[in-house]
């Protein structure tokens, strides 16, 4: 058994199963594609779920992958133990109705014993207690003696996830020796100690669990295996934990170097070292797959991991921004296997740096809030910070609980951890509920599941806008039916169609389906299982019947308008890279017949000058009248040609390439123009932010540009009429009006100042003495905050003492208090005064000792508040 690096193990595994007729596929992105039931990919089979369910045809009945995975349920334990981690790689070999238990077991044994050369005496297996078939294969075919085969119950060796496909499994264990065992004389496979390490799970998906709880045999059983790559590496490298595996240890050593510490010398420091090491791997891969920091969903997971890593870096004594530097070390170790890390290494580092800088700002804000909470506890003689307050610091400012505890303990306080975790639990339940409302279930629903697997749709719409198809299935009011009558809203599937089904951000085609017996208006077309095109429409005449041959006619005007906008987004994508930088990547789009919407990664507002240049570049390209080529090839060839694959799209082995001369080349299944000159004119209508790091451009093309310009022209005409000037003089007219308005404001301010001076003279008769200082508390009517602030300022200077002014303005209370420096020295505090006074009027506020303002809701309480103010002042000016 020789020492083997993690990258070497990965390659040996994938090559081995390629030699067994498996198609090797690259890891899917960590962001699930067309699957709302998962936040992040957490297993090798998750991206292949549609192949297991039959919703899609797999490119091969045998596949093998090494899948990037993120699991976060135990995030709080990461670092505290050397076993927990959030990022891992899962090796797997899969059969979709091809081979079954015998091949899966024999190949697993061959790989482990012959390729990995692990001694047979150190290997054990477990099986489901009722799976005699697996026992026979292990015992009779492989030759394992009975004492090497352990039967375990359903909890350990039966895989199921709700309803749908499920089955027994068999796991392979490595015996690490007695030194890793426990004191239990019966210690064996299944024990909780560290002696027997499970590294490969073979799942035999042979049942279909129905709603009655019955386990029905699948006609075509499947194989789904999963081997933890890091776990296998710990075995091959004879190390204790995943943090000592070569590729991970490289990152760990870099963390130690930055911090100037050594691993395994201080348990507390080791926790932080492991947290930073694990989390930087996770965030690097997540950002590489398009996840951006945010306050919800997977973006929140990323932000939490990143901030947790930053915090533990500070605990290690690392100064300044450092995580972006570590992300490049992750790329060094994993970039060859995952080229997206290399292609985007500068982009990944930039996102991490920006988020880390933001955290520095928020952590300072959180410290201020925590100091205020500590001050409150001192005043109220409390010793424990409420769990709600601690959770608010965590949720709003990303303030980790351990940081809150450390700071509190320095001042002799503690925190209600039970309540904190209760609040955390409530938030998780809210998030889970919100997600479950959108989930379609683990295995999904298909309105045409009653059709056989060979009932597929042939799409001919790239070359034909009219063709004949046969009606294979009709669904009315949620159920299968033989026909649909006049007036019915119906969905149906044809064996052949020219109607494009909504996908890739492009809306579905519209048009008609007809024959001598019926006319159906098609309002939309969407994709179903196995790529079937589901036509949505209304029967306008006659009856649509199962088995009918019908003529399909796509609305040419609608299709052409959509194609203009779609081709324009390809030009826009290229222009954005030219103007803003190569980091720009498409993050979503919507293309219909009236407009386009294009989302992209960028971390600041696009300036008006940049936007103008983008628009200019696109229109300049359109003027060159470049030809648009559309062709199919295999995905490897397309990528070699330089075709851009869009994040979030799921590509098959055969892909469609859209090439615009030498200007742009993307993988795209949408409908496009033949020449970009058909776009006519391209106009950006708006640009703005839609999420953290995501910008959105909306625009129009062709005839819709004319409509947009006509609307602008009408607005200009109406504006010039209101301003009583020509369209050419609108700007000058507005500048003149601004200048006149500014002069009036200046004149008004001077009049207000004079009025305030006069008012100050009138109010001087109401001055009283409190604690040796002149005090004036008055109520005025109809004055806004700025006005009473000016009035209070003048009164304070005139009487050289303390002023409190309250105003009833449109049913709202405004309060301002000011005092001289000598009054502050004697104990006067304007902030505390207005806070107590405002509470009487149903409001609040605060500020500095010499000046503060507040608001209230009940003007009828102003006089009561003014009386209370005198009592407060007497206490302050002792």
């Amino acid at each position: 058994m020789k020492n083997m690096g993690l990258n070497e193990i990965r390659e040996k595994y994938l090559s081995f199963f390629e030699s067994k007729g498996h198609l090797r596929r690259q890891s899917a992105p960590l962001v699930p594609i067309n699957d709302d039931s998962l936040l992040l990919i957490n297993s090798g089979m998750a991206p292949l779920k549609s192949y297991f369910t039959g919703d899609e045809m797999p490119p091969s009945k045998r596949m093998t992958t090494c899948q990037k995975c993120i699991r976060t349920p135990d995030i709080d334990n990461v670092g505290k133990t050397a076993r927990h981690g959030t990022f891992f790689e899962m090796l797997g070999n899969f059969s979709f109705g091809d081979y079954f238990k015998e091949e899966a077991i024999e190949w697993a044994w061959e790989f482990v014993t012959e390729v990995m050369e692990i001694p047979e005496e150190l290997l054990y297996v477990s099986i489901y207690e009722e799976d005699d078939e697996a026992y026979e294969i292990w015992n009779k075919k492989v030759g394992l003696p009975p004492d090497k085969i352990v039967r375990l119950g359903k909890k350990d060796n039966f895989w199921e996830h709700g309803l749908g496909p499920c089955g027994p499994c068999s796991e392979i264990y490595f015996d690490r020796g007695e030194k890793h065992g426990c004191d239990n004389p019966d210690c064996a496979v299944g024990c909780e100690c560290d002696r027997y390490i499970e590294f490969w799970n073979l799942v035999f998906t042979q049942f279909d669990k129905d709603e009655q709880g019955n386990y029905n045999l699948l006609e075509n059983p499947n194989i789904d295996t999963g081997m933890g790559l890091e776990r296998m590496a710990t075995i091959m490298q004879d190390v204790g934990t995943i943090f000592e595996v070569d590729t991970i240890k490289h990152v760990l050593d870099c963390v130690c170097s930055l911090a100037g510490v050594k691993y395994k010398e201080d348990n507390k420091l080791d926790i932080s070292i492991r947290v930073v090491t694990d989390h930087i791997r996770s965030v690097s891969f997540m950002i590489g797959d398009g996840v951006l920091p945010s306050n919800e969903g997977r973006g929140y997971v990323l932000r939490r991991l990143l901030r947790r890593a930053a915090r533990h870096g500070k605990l290690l004594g690392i100064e300044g921004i450092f995580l972006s530097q570590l992300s490049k070390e992750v790329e060094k170790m994993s970039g060859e296997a995952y080229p997206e890390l290399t292609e985007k290494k500068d982009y990944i580092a930039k996102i991490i740096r920006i988020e880390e800088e933001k955290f520095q700002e928020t952590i300072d804000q959180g410290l201020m809030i925590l100091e205020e909470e500590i001050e409150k506890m001192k005043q109220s003689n409390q010793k424990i910070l409420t769990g709600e307050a601690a959770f608010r610091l965590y949720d709003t400012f990303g303030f980790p609980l351990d940081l809150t505890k450390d700071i509190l303990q320095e001042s002799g306080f503690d925190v209600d951890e039970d309540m904190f975790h209760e609040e955390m639990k409530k938030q998780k339940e809210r998030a889970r509920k919100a997600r479950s409302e959108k989930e379609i279930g683990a295995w999904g629903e298909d309105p045409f599941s009653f059709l056989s697997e060979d009932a597929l749709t042939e799409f001919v719409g790239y070359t034909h806008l009219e063709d004949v198809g046969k009606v294979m299935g009709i669904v009315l009011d949620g159920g299968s039916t033989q026909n649909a009558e006049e007036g019915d809203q119906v969905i149906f599937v044809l064996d052949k169609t020219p109607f494009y089904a909504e996908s890739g951000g492009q809306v579905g085609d519209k048009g008609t389906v007809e024959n001598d017996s019926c006319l159906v208006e098609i309002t939309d077309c969407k994709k179903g299982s196995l790529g079937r095109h589901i036509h949505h429409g209304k029967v306008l005449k006659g009856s649509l019947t199962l088995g009918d041959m019908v003529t399909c006619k796509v609305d040419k005007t609608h299709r052409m308008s959509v194609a203009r906008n779609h081709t324009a987004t390809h030009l826009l994508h290229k222009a954005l890279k030219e103007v803003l930088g190569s980091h720009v990547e498409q993050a979503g789009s919507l293309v219909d017949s009236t407009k386009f919407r294009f989302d992209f990664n960028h971390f600041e507002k696009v300036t008006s000058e940049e936007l103008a240049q983008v628009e200019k570049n696109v229109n300049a390209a359109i003027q060159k009248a470049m030809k648009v080529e559309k062709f199919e090839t295999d995905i490897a060839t397309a990528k070699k040609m330089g075709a851009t694959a869009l994040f979030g799209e799921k590509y098959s082995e055969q892909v469609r390439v859209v090439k615009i001369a030498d200007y742009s080349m993307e993988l795209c299944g949408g409908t496009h123009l033949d020449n970009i000159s058909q776009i006519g004119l391209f106009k950006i209508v708006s640009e703005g932010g839609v999420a953290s790091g995501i910008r959105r451009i909306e625009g129009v093309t062709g005839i819709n540009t004319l409509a947009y310009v006509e609307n602008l022209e009408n607005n200009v005409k109406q504006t010039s009429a209101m301003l009583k000037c020509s369209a050419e003089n609108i700007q000058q007219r507005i500048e003149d009006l601004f200048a006149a308005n500014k002069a009036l404001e200046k004149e008004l301010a001077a009049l207000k100042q004079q009025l305030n001076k006069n008012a100050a003279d009138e109010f001087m008769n109401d001055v009283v003495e409190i604690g040796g200082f002149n005090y004036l508390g008055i109520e005025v009517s109809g004055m806004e905050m700025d006005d009473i602030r000016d009035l209070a300022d003048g009164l304070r200077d005139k009487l050289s003492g303390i002023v409190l002014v309250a105003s009833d303005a449109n049913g709202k209370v405004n309060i301002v208090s000011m005092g001289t420096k000598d009054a502050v020295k004697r104990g006067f505090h304007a902030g505390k005064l207005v806070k107590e006074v405002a509470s009487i009027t149903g409001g609040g506020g605060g500020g500095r000792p010499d000046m503060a303002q507040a608001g209230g809701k009940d003007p009828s309480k102003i006089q009561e508040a003014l009386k209370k103010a005198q009592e407060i002042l007497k206490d302050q000016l002792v």
Side-chain angles (χ1 to χ4, degrees):
M1 184 169 132
K2 64 176 183 177
N3 190 301
M4 236 182 251
L6 182 140
N7 289 324
E8 184 184 359
I9 297 169
R10 184 196 301 110
E11 181 55 38
K12 282 189 177 293
Y13 181 95
L14 296 173
S15 296
F16 174 80
F17 280 100
E18 273 189 307
S19 74
K20 302 297 184 185
H22 290 65
L23 172 67
R24 182 200 291 215
R25 289 293 292 267
Q26 283 280 78
S27 170
L30 285 166
V31 177
I33 300 170
N34 301 325
D35 184 356
D36 293 334
S37 67
L38 284 177
L39 204 59
L40 292 159
I41 293 297
N42 59 8
S43 68
M45 67 79 63
L48 310 177
K49 195 159 62 179
S50 59
Y51 300 150
F52 283 106
T53 61
D55 287 344
E56 288 186 77
M57 292 291 288
S60 169
K61 286 194 171 183
R62 298 181 181 184
M63 289 177 64
T64 184
T65 64
C66 184
Q67 177 61 45
K68 300 172 285 190
C69 301
I70 295 279
R71 286 185 188 167
T72 57
D74 295 325
I75 186 172
D76 291 324
N77 287 322
V78 173
K80 293 177 183 176
T81 76
R83 286 192 285 180
H84 287 89
T86 56
F87 176 81
F88 62 97
E89 297 177 59
M90 186 62 74
L91 293 160
N93 57 285
F94 309 94
S95 166
F96 308 105
D98 186 20
Y99 64 83
F100 198 46
K101 288 184 188 179
E102 187 170 333
E103 294 89 342
I105 290 173
E106 289 184 337
W107 288 339
W109 191 251
E110 180 184 346
F111 178 77
V112 171
T113 59
E114 296 182 24
V115 179
M116 294 288 100
E117 300 179 12
I118 299 177
E120 292 186 18
E121 61 267 20
L122 299 180
L123 296 170
Y124 290 80
V125 300
S126 67
I127 60 171
Y128 177 48
E129 58 190 358
E130 298 177 13
D131 193 355
D132 294 330
E133 183 184 5
Y135 178 87
E136 289 296 313
I137 297 169
W138 280 116
N139 181 235
K140 299 290 194 296
K141 297 281 185 180
V142 174
L144 275 183
D147 63 345
K148 287 272 189 174
I149 307 169
V150 179
R151 292 181 185 260
L152 297 175
K154 200 169 187 179
K155 178 184 174 184
D156 295 297
N157 278 66
F158 195 94
W159 185 91
E160 61 182 332
H161 189 82
L163 304 179
C166 58
C169 56
S170 179
E171 296 175 322
I172 307 178
Y173 291 79
F174 176 77
D175 181 2
R176 301 175 69 198
E178 290 184 9
K179 63 181 179 180
H180 294 282
C182 56
D183 297 330
N184 187 345
D186 298 322
C187 179
V189 169
C191 183
E192 292 296 320
C193 72
D194 292 335
R195 176 171 178 175
Y196 299 94
I197 178 172
E198 178 265 312
F199 62 89
W200 201 348
N201 188 11
L202 315 177
V203 179
F204 312 126
T205 313
Q206 63 190 85
F207 298 114
D208 181 15
K209 185 179 179 182
D210 62 26
E211 292 180 354
Q212 285 72 45
N214 301 313
Y215 292 90
N216 307 301
L217 281 172
L218 286 170
E219 185 178 347
N220 297 306
N222 304 312
I223 290 293
D224 160 25
T225 83
M227 177 199 286
L229 177 56
E230 293 86 354
R231 192 170 288 189
M232 174 56 92
T234 63
I235 293 171
M236 300 307 297
Q237 295 174 26
D238 191 25
V239 294
T241 74
I242 60 172
F243 291 96
E244 297 166 69
V245 168
D246 59 338
T247 55
I248 305 174
K249 187 175 184 296
H250 172 83
V251 179
L252 183 143
D253 288 342
C254 291
V255 174
C256 291
S257 177
L258 281 173
V261 299
K262 288 186 178 180
Y263 189 52
K264 290 190 173 180
E265 285 193 353
D266 182 316
N267 186 56
K268 191 173 182 181
L269 291 180
D270 286 350
I271 290 172
S272 293
I273 292 169
R274 289 192 289 262
V275 167
V276 176
T277 301
D278 171 79
H279 289 7
I280 191 59
R281 296 179 75 230
S282 294
V283 301
S284 297
F285 276 94
M286 289 172 75
I287 294 170
D289 279 347
V291 182
L292 290 168
S294 70
N295 287 327
E296 59 184 14
R298 58 184 67 94
Y300 180 73
V301 174
L302 172 62
R303 174 164 283 168
R304 185 181 176 195
L305 291 171
L306 207 155
R307 291 186 169 187
R308 196 167 187 259
R311 165 61 186 153
H312 279 274
K314 296 293 176 276
L315 291 176
L316 287 169
I318 302 175
E319 296 294 332
I321 304 302
F322 69 97
L323 289 174
S324 56
Q325 179 181 340
L326 286 175
S327 72
K328 295 183 179 180
E329 301 302 327
V330 175
E331 183 272 329
K332 284 180 186 176
M333 292 295 99
S334 304
E336 187 174 344
Y338 300 103
E340 63 272 15
L341 290 178
T342 302
E343 293 165 8
K344 301 178 183 178
K345 67 179 179 181
D346 293 334
Y347 167 77
I348 292 168
K350 182 179 179 180
I351 303 296
I352 291 173
R353 185 174 65 254
I354 290 171
E355 183 64 17
E356 204 174 354
E357 287 169 351
K358 282 183 182 176
F359 182 50
Q360 291 300 316
E361 296 170 8
T362 57
I363 208 166
D364 290 340
Q365 289 178 284
L367 282 168
M368 288 175 60
I369 300 296
L370 185 52
E371 284 168 5
E372 288 181 11
E373 293 290 343
I374 290 172
E375 187 62 32
K376 286 180 187 175
M377 287 194 291
K378 285 179 180 177
Q379 292 177 5
S380 57
N381 292 320
Q382 291 179 339
K383 287 292 182 181
I384 297 178
L385 180 70
T386 66
E388 293 94 330
F391 182 76
R392 191 164 58 251
L393 281 165
Y394 168 79
D395 196 39
T396 306
F397 300 104
F399 227 62
L401 179 61
D402 59 353
L403 176 59
T404 301
K405 286 169 63 178
D406 289 346
I407 296 169
L408 287 170
Q409 285 168 3
E410 289 169 7
S411 302
F413 297 102
D414 207 339
V415 61
D416 186 342
E417 289 191 56
D418 290 340
M419 183 56 70
F420 174 88
H421 292 302
E422 189 63 35
E423 291 294 317
M424 177 72 81
K425 184 180 177 183
K426 288 178 186 176
Q427 189 202 56
K428 286 181 178 177
E429 286 172 355
R430 287 193 296 270
R432 193 179 296 116
K433 182 180 179 183
R435 217 165 50 242
S436 68
E437 288 172 357
K438 297 191 292 183
E439 286 178 6
I440 55 173
W443 297 101
E445 295 294 334
D446 174 16
F448 289 94
S449 58
F450 57 86
L451 294 177
S452 64
E453 286 188 4
D454 57 356
L456 304 176
T457 302
E458 178 189 357
F459 175 60
V460 297
Y462 289 136
T463 54
H464 297 75
L465 294 185
E466 184 174 327
D467 214 319
V468 176
K470 180 181 179 181
V471 180
M472 297 191 297
I474 303 173
V475 169
L476 192 64
D477 297 328
S480 172
T481 185
Q482 294 291 311
N483 46 35
E485 305 295 337
E486 186 174 321
D488 285 341
Q489 294 285 348
V490 66
I491 61 174
F492 58 95
V493 172
L494 305 174
D495 67 341
K496 185 164 65 169
T497 183
F499 284 91
Y500 180 85
E502 180 182 338
S503 60
Q506 178 178 323
V507 299
D509 278 332
K510 297 181 179 181
T512 58
V513 164
E514 60 185 300
N515 60 18
D516 293 339
S517 304
C518 74
L519 172 63
V520 183
E521 178 189 18
I522 302 301
T523 56
D524 200 358
C525 187
K526 296 185 180 294
K527 271 194 180 176
S529 298
L530 299 172
R532 296 187 185 106
H533 287 224
I534 301 175
H535 305 75
H536 293 242
K538 182 178 182 179
V539 182
L540 300 180
K541 186 175 69 176
S543 173
L544 180 72
T545 304
L546 197 66
D548 273 359
M549 299 301 296
V550 291
T551 299
C552 306
K553 297 179 181 178
V554 173
D555 183 329
K556 295 179 183 178
T557 302
H558 180 267
R559 167 73 80 86
M560 190 66 177
S561 294
V562 173
R564 275 193 202 93
N565 285 330
H566 201 157
T567 303
T569 62
H570 284 223
L571 298 178
L572 173 61
H573 194 185
K574 175 69 174 181
L576 285 167
K577 285 180 177 287
E578 290 174 336
V579 175
L580 302 180
S582 60
H583 67 277
V584 169
E585 291 199 20
Q586 181 174 333
S589 68
L590 174 65
V591 179
D592 62 26
S593 61
T594 61
K595 64 185 181 304
F596 66 81
R597 187 181 76 205
F598 189 84
D599 296 346
F600 58 98
N601 297 336
H602 193 55
F603 295 92
E604 53 194 349
K605 179 177 169 60
V606 183
T607 66
S608 56
E609 292 79 12
E610 289 170 334
L611 218 52
Q613 188 61 52
V614 168
E615 192 173 87
K616 184 178 179 181
N617 285 14
V618 173
N619 282 307
I622 292 169
Q623 294 303 307
K624 293 178 182 177
M626 291 182 275
K627 183 181 177 183
V628 182
E629 298 177 64
K630 290 87 71 177
F631 57 89
E632 289 193 359
T633 185
D634 63 273
I635 192 164
T637 301
K639 287 184 176 179
K640 283 180 184 175
M641 293 171 65
T644 301
L646 302 184
F647 174 77
E649 285 294 315
K650 194 172 185 178
Y651 298 104
S652 58
E653 282 304 297
Q654 283 295 115
V655 293
R656 190 163 183 264
V657 179
V658 176
K659 184 175 184 290
I660 303 172
D662 294 327
Y663 189 72
S664 167
M665 181 161 53
E666 295 186 12
L667 303 184
C668 182
T671 61
H672 287 272
L673 305 170
D674 295 322
N675 191 293
I676 60 172
S677 63
Q678 294 171 290
I679 293 173
L681 187 63
F682 171 94
K683 181 66 185 170
I684 293 174
V685 173
S686 67
E687 188 278 337
V690 291
S692 179
I694 302 289
R695 309 296 297 179
R696 171 172 294 170
I697 283 177
E698 295 187 344
V700 290
T701 62
I703 196 70
N704 293 309
T705 310
L706 177 61
Y708 176 74
V709 171
E710 285 176 344
N711 185 53
L712 285 180
E713 191 175 47
N714 287 334
N715 287 339
V716 169
K717 286 178 180 178
Q718 291 174 22
T719 303
S720 62
M722 291 170 67
L723 294 172
K724 298 179 181 178
C725 67
S726 65
E728 292 77 13
N729 292 326
I730 285 178
Q731 184 174 342
Q732 184 58 52
R733 177 68 173 145
I734 290 173
E735 288 176 0
D736 292 343
L737 287 172
F738 272 129
N741 187 60
K742 193 172 182 180
L744 287 171
E745 285 179 348
K746 190 175 181 181
E747 186 179 341
L748 182 61
L751 287 170
K752 280 185 176 180
Q753 194 172 21
Q754 185 59 46
L755 283 171
N756 285 338
K757 187 178 179 182
N758 295 337
D761 290 338
E762 292 177 18
F763 289 129
M764 293 306 291
N765 294 328
D766 297 322
V767 175
V768 296
E769 184 183 319
I770 298 178
F773 288 91
N774 288 331
Y775 166 71
L776 178 61
I778 58 171
E779 177 181 3
V780 294
S781 180
M783 295 180 73
E784 296 296 338
M785 189 66 80
D786 288 345
D787 296 328
I788 65 169
R789 197 161 44 234
D790 290 341
L791 176 59
D793 196 32
L795 288 169
R796 176 186 57 182
D797 293 343
K798 193 170 185 67
L799 61 86
S800 187
I802 299 167
V803 178
L804 180 70
V805 181
S807 168
D808 171 7
N810 299 316
K812 184 175 67 176
V813 178
N814 295 318
I815 302 170
V816 170
S817 179
M818 294 183 183
T820 55
K821 289 182 180 179
D822 54 343
V824 172
K825 286 180 181 178
R826 276 279 306 278
F828 169 67
H829 196 296
K832 294 178 180 178
L833 175 63
V834 298
K835 185 177 181 181
E836 289 193 56
V837 168
S839 67
I840 296 170
T841 65
R848 303 193 309 265
D850 62 328
M851 195 282 283
Q853 63 187 47
K857 300 174 183 176
D858 188 354
S860 69
K861 301 280 188 179
I862 287 178
Q863 285 302 315
E864 181 183 340
L866 290 174
K867 288 178 183 176
K868 180 67 174 176
Q870 293 194 25
E871 295 177 21
I872 298 166
L873 278 174
K874 288 174 183 177
D875 291 335
Q876 286 189 356
L877 300 170
V878 177

